[in-house]
Structure formats: structure tokens, C-alpha cells
């Protein structure tokens, strides 16, 4: 039985992790930088035996690797500390994994190795742009940068396989798209590399089975290079096309998504959507056999939600669990003992927490799990199966204290035609149901994506500024089966928008929101929904923010046709989703926000990345021009060196700052009143017996 509060290792990491202790000494709202800074705790992993824990600790642009011996309590810094900083310079570690209990592999950005008499000395002198793969002993000895002197071109790419049964080697890719992506077998102790696969310019990924053999590859086809095909490697060394894949960058779940090797050579677990004519409606786990080039029947399926991931047994690769998003992220284990353990972990964390299994000891004696909730951006715990206890490792974003963030809950409602719908309402910290802060309606992008009961950067940022945020899962959203997703096809400005409106009207009817104090904000498809809301329902929304949104559906479809072949999977998908720019031209123009510029109501903020290759920037530029000519209130912010996803800290800072300023001008809100900060007290380690 699991009892007690969430635990903390009291002495564990006292010195090594002092920088990441949760900060409780301030009562003001988190700053923009608090929301966009890199996690203080990066990737973490258990060693194969489960004895050692490694994690990446960050402080500004400096990264340390911290190793904890879970048996003795000893903490070491194989890469870190003042001495290492002098030798390594500004090392940024993007990932860390165990090769063996005695050796680590790191993804390191920007560094150079010292050389003496044209030979590497093993220490690091300075840093440079580009990621490198580094092999290092658990004690910091024998540092090796893994590079292939006989590679034709390019930097190391991905670790294709860690080759669990070969302690000295891994599979690495080298090269770059357009020049040939080769596969090398690399010795992690000596750095020696042997080319085993010659790539070509159209290959961008490979698939490896449980024996470490390359069995498939993904390649680009067509004049535009936007169609993907999957190919299998035959015994004769020739590649044969198996099937084509949808290449839509915005899709949450394509028709096929590879999840990892099975316990059988030449076979791969695949997440697959139900096909036409199938009775089942949700995506399942299946097995693809590269030898027979055939897809097997479902081996795991949830009847309500699409599979999004799996848990496999360390070493054997047997399927242990299928994972999906209900309200929270959860994994259902096929083994009863493991399922009881996972249920106990979920009870221990409490309602509203998502739990992910990050890694396990090969004998399952210890599990490393990552947990998160709507007002907690993430923590690590270790579950000890022998002691039946959970031990707290650390908080990933210590500046984002739970008490300073909003609370989220599920809202169930009905559409006008009776369709059952739901969304999530996040309210400012300390807010009660009697309070009615201004509302931000935030439809998601995709549109085949969905929102969940979890931490959301934008929603939490806005609640700390005094707003409540509603995120509806309208028809057309993914994750809840094929019929629900396809109900949104060709419903831009139709059913999908009506479902958003129904949610807003429900909140008003429940007394949670004041009419007249509502703005709509969205990105990508959500940006379109925001613009259309301001065009078709200008009496409902006080202001509009569209981020990388579409304004002209005919224009976006003509652009899509130019980007991909007319018969490509990508373009055919958008024909089904949006409509035909020729046959459906008038219908698409009728629901294009740009055609409503003359009668547009609320003020509009348009934000777009100049390097966006998913929704072209011209969509926002033309909308700004049309609104300006019509004498409407509009501001356009073009962000340099930024793509569709606003992934850099600089782009996120501009985005949040512009949103905050615009909302304060057109729908000001009262800042939350925070309670006095509680003293930071270590929580005692908690038994799970």
C-alpha cells in the first residue's frame, strides 16, 4: 500500500544539487525568463544495473553531469565543477545515456578537444557550434569525441542503437541531408569507426531491430522532397519501398509511427491509426515485420484513446505497457504485478499527475519516473521495488513553484447538436469560483492535436498575469479516435469553431466568465480559429492574437500544392482536411478571415516567424495589410530567424512579451494576490509500504 506525502532525499544532492533546490523566497509572479529558461535538471537515466543515477544539471550556459551511487550515496561529477569548467569551457549537454555501468555517452554542443603535437590529449579546450557525441567514463576518465575520420561529410547525427549486447560499440549516423547519411559502428573506448551502410542524399533516418541490424530507412521522394517513403533492406542489400508516410509537420499522429524494436529480429513496434473499414476507432500498437514487409494485427489498444507511446522491458524489448493521454498521461501494463506498481505510484502522486517511465534497471529493481501536473512543470523520482518507496530526485524548473501557478480543471459541456465535448480551464493562483477574471480562449493548433490536463507554458504564463485560460478540445482534435478527428474535416469556420463557441457560452452560463471580458488567442490552426472568431463573432471577443495563423484558405492550399506534388500524401491530406482550392474555392473564401477585414471588430495582434515553412509568413502580412486598409486596429510582429514553432528562447521571450503588452492594453487584468512564501522545509523520505 502506498502512503505518505511526496518524498525528498534530505541529504541526497545537498552539495551537488544545491543550485536546483526549489525557490520559495519570493512572492511575486514568475517572470518571462522563469517560463522560458532551460530546465535546471535535464535528462536523467538509471544505469543498466540500476545502481547509478545520472542527470544533467544546468546553470545558465553551463552544464554538469552528476552521477549518484544509489548504494553508497557517493556523488561524482564526471563532467562538472570549477576544474571542469576551466578545462571544458561553456559546455552545453543536450542528453546523457548509459552505455554500461562504467561508461556514459553525451550529446555535447560547442566544444573543441585540446591537441598536442597534432594529437588529442583528452581534455576540452574551447567550444564551437554543432553537437558532438562524447564517450566518458563514469569517473570522468578517458574522454572520447566519437567521430569517423573516414566519414564522407558532416557531423555525427543520431545514436541509432546503443547495442546493449556489445559493451564496446554503438551505431552512429554521419553526414547531412543531400550529401548522404551513412551508418558507422563506433568503438566508444577508442573512437575507431567502421562504415556499415552507405547512405544517399535523400535518406534522413534508419530503423534498427533489437539485434542492432539496420532493417529500414526513411527517404524523401518527389521533386519537392516533401513526400516520405519507408524502405526495407533485403538480404541482397537492395532497398525496396514498403509504404509511404504522411509528411504533414503539424500532424499529432501520422498513419504510422515507429516506437522501437520488438523482441524478435527484424520486427518493429508501430503506432498505427485504424484504417478505412475497421470497426475499431483508436490508434493501436502493431508489429511491422521487415522481412515479410507486413503489418500484424493490434497487440495493444485502448478503446477510447489513441496510443502515443509504449514501455518496453530493458534488454528483452518485450512490450510491457501501452501509453495514452486521457486527461493525464498514463501507461497501462499488461503484467498484473507491474500494473499494481504503476497504480500505486499514481496513488502516491495523487490525482492530476502524469507519470512517465524514463528508464529501469534490467532486473526492474528500480524505476526512474518523470511526473508532472498542471502547476508543476516536472520532477524526477526513483521507485525502489524492494523497499516499496518513492524517493524525490529533483524539480526540473525550480523557479516555477506550484503555489505561484494556476490551477487547471476539466470542463465538460455539449455542442449545439448534442455532441459531448470537454476542455480545460486554468484559473489564476488563489482564484475562487466567485471570482471572474478575464478569459483567454486558446484553441490548439493542428487541428489534429489536443490539449490535456498538464503543464502548459502559455496557459500558466497568462494565469500569472491575472487571466483564466480555456482550452477546448473541439471536433477535429486527435487522441480520441478517428471519427472524432475526421468530424473536423472541411469544418474550418464550421463545426470546429462552433464547438469552441459552445465552450465559451457554457462558461458564461455557469457564471465563471463575464461576457465582454473575453479574448481569443491561438497558434497555427489555433491562430486561424482566433482570426475567424474575431471576424465571425466580433461581439464575443474583445481582442484577438493570431500566432503563425492562416488568414486565406485558398492561398494556403495553393501554397501547399506548390510545396508538395498534387498527388502527394501531404497535399491529399490537406484536401481532405481543408478543401479543394479549385472545386471549393467559394466555400473556402467564405470562411477565410481575410475576406472579413472590412467588417472586422476587435483589435488584432499578428505574430509570425520569418522562417516559417509550415504556414508562410505572407498569411499574416496579407491579413495585416487588409485590416490596415479597412481602418481596423492591427499590429504585426515579424520575428527574425524564427520558424513555425518559436523554439528559441529569444523567440519565446518576444512572443510572451508581445502577448502580455497587447492584452494589458485591450483587456487588463488584476495580478494574482500571492500568499506569503512558506519556509522551505525538507520533506522526509516516505515509505510506500
Amino acid at each position: 500500500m502506498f502512503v505518505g506525502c511526496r518524498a525528498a532525499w534530505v541529504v541526497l544532492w545537498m552539495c551537488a544539487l544545491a543550485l536546483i533546490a526549489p525557490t520559495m523566497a519570493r512572492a511575486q509572479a514568475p517572470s518571462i525568463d522563469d517560463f522560458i529558461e532551460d530546465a535546471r535538471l535535464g535528462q536523467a537515466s538509471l544505469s543498466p544495473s540500476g545502481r547509478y543515477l545520472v542527470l544533467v544539471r544546468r546553470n545558465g550556459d553551463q552544464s554538469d553531469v552528476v552521477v549518484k551511487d544509489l548504494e553508497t550515496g557517493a556523488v561524482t561529477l564526471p563532467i562538472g565543477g570549477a576544474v571542469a569548467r576551466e578545462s571544458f569551457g561553456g559546455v552545453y549537454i543536450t542528453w546523457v545515456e548509459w552505455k554500461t555501468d562504467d561508461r556514459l555517452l553525451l550529446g555535447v554542443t560547442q566544444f573543441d578537444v585540446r591537441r598536442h603535437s597534432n594529437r588529442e590529449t583528452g581534455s576540452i579546450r574551447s567550444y564551437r557550434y554543432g553537437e558532438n557525441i562524447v564517450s566518458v567514463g563514469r569517473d570522468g576518465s578517458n574522454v572520447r569525441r566519437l567521430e569517423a575520420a573516414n566519414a564522407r561529410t558532416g557531423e555525427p547525427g543520431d545514436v541509432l542503437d546503443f547495442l546493449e549486447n556489445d559493451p564496446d560499440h554503438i551505431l552512429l549516423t554521419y553526414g547531412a541531408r543531400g550529401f548522404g547519411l551513412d551508418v558507422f559502428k563506433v568503438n566508444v573506448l577508442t573512437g575507431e569507426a567502421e562504415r556499415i551502410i552507405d547512405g544517399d542524399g535523400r535518406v534522413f533516418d534508419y530503423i534498427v531491430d533489437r539485434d542492432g541490424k539496420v532493417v529500414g530507412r526513411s527517404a524523401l521522394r518527389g521533386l519537392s522532397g516533401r513526400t516520405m517513403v519507408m524502405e526495407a533492406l533485403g538480404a541482397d542489400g537492395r532497398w525496396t519501398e514498403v509504404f509511404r508516410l504522411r509528411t504533414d509537420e503539424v500532424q499529432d499522429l501520422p498513419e504510422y509511427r515507429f516506437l522501437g524494436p520488438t523482441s524478435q529480429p527484424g520486427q518493429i513496434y508501430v503506432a498505427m491509426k485504424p484504417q478505412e473499414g475497421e470497426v475499431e476507432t483508436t490508434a493501436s500498437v502493431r508489429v511491422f515485420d521487415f522481412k515479410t514487409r507486413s503489418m500484424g494485427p493490434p497487440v495493444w489498444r485502448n478503446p477510447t484513446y489513441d496510443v502515443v507511446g509504449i514501455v518496453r522491458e530493458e534488454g528483452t524489448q518485450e512490450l510491457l505497457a501501452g501509453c495514452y493521454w486521457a486527461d493525464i498521461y498514463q501507461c497501462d501494463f499488461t503484467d498484473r504485478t507491474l500494473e499494481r506498481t504503476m497504480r500505486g505510484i499514481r496513488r502516491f502522486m495523487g490525482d492530476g499527475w502524469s507519470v512517465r517511465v524514463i528508464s529501469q534497471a534490467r532486473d526492474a529493481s528500480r524505476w526512474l519516473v518523470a511526473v508532472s501536473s498542471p502547476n508543476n512543470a516536472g520532477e524526477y523520482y526513483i521507485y525502489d521495488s524492494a523497499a516499496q518507496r518513492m524517493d524525490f530526485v529533483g524539480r526540473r524548473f525550480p523557479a516555477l513553484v506550484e503555489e505561484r501557478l494556476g490551477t487547471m480543471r476539466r470542463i465538460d459541456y455539449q455542442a449545439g447538436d448534442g455532441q459531448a465535448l470537454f476542455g480545460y480551464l486554468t484559473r489564476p493562483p488563489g482564484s475562487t469560483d466567485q471570482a471572474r477574471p478575464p478569459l483567454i480562449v486558446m484553441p490548439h493548433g493542428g487541428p489534429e492535436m489536443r490539449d490535456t490536463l498538464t503543464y502548459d507554458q502559455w496557459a500558466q504564463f497568462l494565469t500569472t498575469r491575472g487571466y483564466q485560460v480555456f482550452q477546448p478540445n473541439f471536433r477535429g482534435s486527435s487522441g480520441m479516435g478517428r471519427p472524432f478527428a475526421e468530424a473536423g474535416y472541411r469544418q474550418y469556420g464550421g463545426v470546429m469553431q462552433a464547438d469552441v463557441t459552445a465552450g465559451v457560452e457554457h462558461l458564461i452560463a455557469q457564471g465563471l466568465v463575464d461576457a465582454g471580458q473575453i479574448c481569443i488567442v491561438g497558434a497555427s490552426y489555433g491562430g486561424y480559429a482566433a482570426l475567424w472568431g474575431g471576424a465571425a463573432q466580433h461581439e464575443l471577443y474583445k481582442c484577438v492574437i493570431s500566432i503563425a495563423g492562416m488568414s486565406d484558405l485558398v492561398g494556403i492550399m495553393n501554397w501547399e500544392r506548390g510545396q508538395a506534388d498534387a498527388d502527394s500524401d501531404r497535399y491529399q491530406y490537406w484536401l481532405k482536411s481543408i478543401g479543394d482550392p479549385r472545386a471549393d474555392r467559394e466555400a473556402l473564401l467564405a470562411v477565410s478571415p481575410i475576406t472579413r477585414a472590412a467588417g472586422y471588430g476587435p483589435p488584432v495582434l499578428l505574430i509570425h516567424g520569418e522562417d516559417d515553412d509550415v504556414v508562410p509568413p505572407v498569411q499574416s502580412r496579407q491579413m495585416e495589410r487588409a485590416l490596415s486598409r479597412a481602418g481596423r486596429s492591427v499590429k504585426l510582429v515579424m520575428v527574425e530567424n524564427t520558424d513555425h514553432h518559436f523554439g528559441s528562447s529569444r523567440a519565446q521571450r518576444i512572443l510572451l512579451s508581445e502577448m502580455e503588452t497587447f492584452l494589458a492594453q485591450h483587456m487588463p487584468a488584476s495580478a494574482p494576490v500571492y500568499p506569503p512564501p512558506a519556509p522551505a522545509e525538507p520533506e522526509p523520505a516516505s515509505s510506500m509500504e
Side-chain angles (χ1 to χ4, degrees), residues 45-49 54 95-106 133-138 146 159-171 185-189 212 314 362:
S45 181
L46 285 173
S47 68
S49 72
V54 65
W95 59 265
V96 58
E97 291 284 358
W98 292 95
K99 173 55 180 168
T100 66
D101 264 34
D102 297 320
R103 194 141 199 91
L104 293 160
L105 295 176
L106 315 173
I133 311 299
V134 174
S135 171
V136 59
R138 174 168 46 82
L146 303 183
V159 178
L160 280 182
D161 198 274
F162 286 90
L163 301 179
E164 293 179 359
N165 297 321
D166 182 344
D168 295 341
H169 294 89
I170 60 173
L171 293 185
K185 187 175 183 178
V186 182
N187 189 303
V188 298
L189 300 175
E314 298 286 346
R362 285 188 175 176

Side-chain angles (χ1 to χ4, degrees), residues 505-571:
E505 292 173 342
H506 174 80
L507 295 177
I508 295 172
Q510 294 296 308
L512 297 173
V513 177
D514 283 334
Q517 288 293 299
I518 305 170
C519 287
I520 184 167
V521 176
S524 196
Y525 170 80
Y528 162 82
L531 286 174
W532 185 247
Q537 299 156 305
H538 52 78
E539 75 288 347
L540 185 61
Y541 297 115
K542 197 169 185 179
C543 63
V544 170
I545 300 178
S546 172
I547 303 158
M550 297 168 286
S551 63
D552 177 4
L553 297 185
V554 172
I556 193 70
M557 286 302 298
N558 287 333
W559 179 82
E560 285 287 352
R561 185 184 177 96
Q563 292 294 302
D565 298 334
D567 61 349
S568 68
D569 293 331
R570 172 189 171 96
Y571 187 67

